[in-house]
Amino acid sequence: MLHDEETAIGLRARFRVPVRCISMDLSESHAVEVVVGIPLVLDSYEAFRDQVLSVARDRFLFAGQILMSTENSAAVKCELHEADPNMTLAFELGGQGTISESDLAAIADHRSVMYLITDRTGLTELHQLHTFIDVTLECGGLGVKFENSGVAHSLSSWQQKRFCENNLDLLQSHVMLAGDEHCFYSTGMHIFGLPDATVPATIENQAAARLLIEFNHYRIFEAAQVKDGQTFSLAADAPRFRLHLKEDEINAGQECFVNPYGRFLLEPL
């Protein structure tokens, strides 16, 4: 909860896997692109177009590197890249131990990577993006990796998710928690159009994870207008934290990871 005044979930060690990220111009305030990487069994735009026509021609159109919904004219840009030798490792780490050896072996045999790119952020926009992810998987996709956070999912895991029924799963399926000797922090909240969050490493691991998750969940699903200088606590009688909105220095220089909305530092009071 906010104060208007001046599940045991672990945190991974910080890691960086080289990814083929789309170059972004962040000179404009809050300029952001959400980028989703999907390894494919296909190897060309033409093959992908043919698959869209085969399995989803009544729902989607693909032309000129644009995938468009025929239902509401929403669209994403598509960029097809050659197979990435780092992809299997990126999925192994981004899946945080949840992706099976057989699924990793399938990803290792991918022939190309399709990147879905949109500049639309927020909860409603994310659900729309999921429809483009789903049809790309129907057309030969082997998994889903959010380049803005590093979180990765196998094909089978993604298809089993029911985001409309589980807000917590929606958050954790897109936002990564990590830590180093200085702090624990989230990466990927710009997918929702929001700043990320950081807590000092003086807070115990599990407590830090819960605090980050609850704070991010609160802002997404209760549409809370959180401001610099307010205080936040998990309950009325729980410890309070002063909120300081700062630039995302943790991910500075990391094109997809850096959050142009900044990040909140939760300072214990």
Side-chain angles (χ1 to χ4, degrees):
M1 62 177 60
L2 283 175
H3 307 279
D4 289 315
E5 57 178 88
E6 279 223 6
T7 74
I9 300 172
L11 291 164
R12 294 185 58 83
R14 185 176 186 180
F15 66 86
R16 285 289 182 265
V17 178
V19 293
R20 190 182 305 280
C21 188
I22 309 303
S23 179
M24 298 184 294
D25 180 6
L26 295 177
S27 58
E28 182 180 348
S29 178
H30 294 178
V32 63
E33 285 183 332
V34 178
V35 182
V36 183
I38 300 178
L40 291 176
V41 299
L42 310 174
D43 61 2
S44 68
Y45 284 114
E46 292 75 20
F48 182 72
R49 178 201 60 205
D50 291 346
Q51 279 297 103
V52 173
L53 287 172
S54 175
V55 306
R57 65 186 308 158
D58 58 334
R59 297 175 289 139
F60 294 90
L61 296 174
F62 180 71
Q65 296 180 226
I66 298 296
L67 183 60
M68 184 179 74
S69 168
T70 58
E71 178 182 341
N72 57 18
S73 297
V76 293
K77 181 181 178 182
C78 299
E79 289 195 7
L80 190 70
H81 291 253
E82 63 185 16
D84 187 339
N86 293 311
M87 190 60 66
T88 305
L89 176 60
F91 267 79
E92 182 179 5
L93 294 174
Q96 302 184 75
T98 65
I99 301 179
S100 69
E101 290 297 326
S102 59
D103 285 331
L104 290 173
I107 291 168
D109 290 334
H110 72 285
R111 301 178 67 186
S112 67
V113 185
M114 182 66 83
Y115 290 95
L116 308 182
I117 308 163
T118 179
D119 60 1
R120 297 177 63 82
T121 62
L123 192 55
T124 299
E125 291 77 11
L126 183 59
H127 285 299
Q128 178 70 67
L129 178 60
H130 287 174
T131 67
F132 294 111
I133 293 172
D134 291 342
V135 72
T136 303
L137 294 175
E138 288 182 60
C139 294
L142 297 167
V144 179
K145 182 168 178 286
F146 289 92
E147 303 296 340
N148 302 85
S149 64
V151 176
H153 307 272
S154 68
L155 172 61
S156 59
S157 173
W158 181 264
Q159 291 176 330
Q160 293 170 11
K161 292 186 177 296
R162 298 292 183 268
F163 291 128
C164 292
E165 302 170 8
N166 191 331
N167 287 341
L168 183 59
D169 191 25
L170 179 63
L171 168 62
Q172 294 180 290
S173 293
H174 297 79
V175 176
M176 180 73 77
L177 299 186
D180 56 27
E181 65 273 20
H182 303 295
C183 62
F184 300 118
Y185 58 92
S186 66
T187 294
M189 284 293 288
H190 44 315
I191 294 172
F192 296 92
L194 295 168
D196 271 290
T198 302
V199 299
T202 52
I203 300 176
E204 186 271 331
N205 184 302
Q206 301 295 325
R210 184 187 175 205
L211 179 59
L212 288 169
I213 290 169
E214 293 290 347
F215 179 66
N216 288 337
H217 185 277
Y218 177 70
R219 291 184 294 140
I220 295 171
F221 299 107
E222 298 191 31
Q225 297 299 310
V226 179
K227 300 178 182 179
D228 182 73
Q230 291 179 311
T231 60
F232 175 83
S233 65
L234 296 178
D237 57 350
R240 293 190 180 191
F241 298 84
R242 179 77 63 189
L243 306 180
H244 301 283
L245 183 60
K246 301 178 178 294
E247 293 185 3
D248 184 11
E249 296 180 354
I250 289 175
N251 292 316
Q254 302 286 334
E255 287 178 325
C256 285
F257 290 115
V258 66
N259 190 329
Y261 301 99
R263 63 173 56 247
F264 279 106
L265 170 62
L266 279 67
E267 178 189 18
L269 293 179

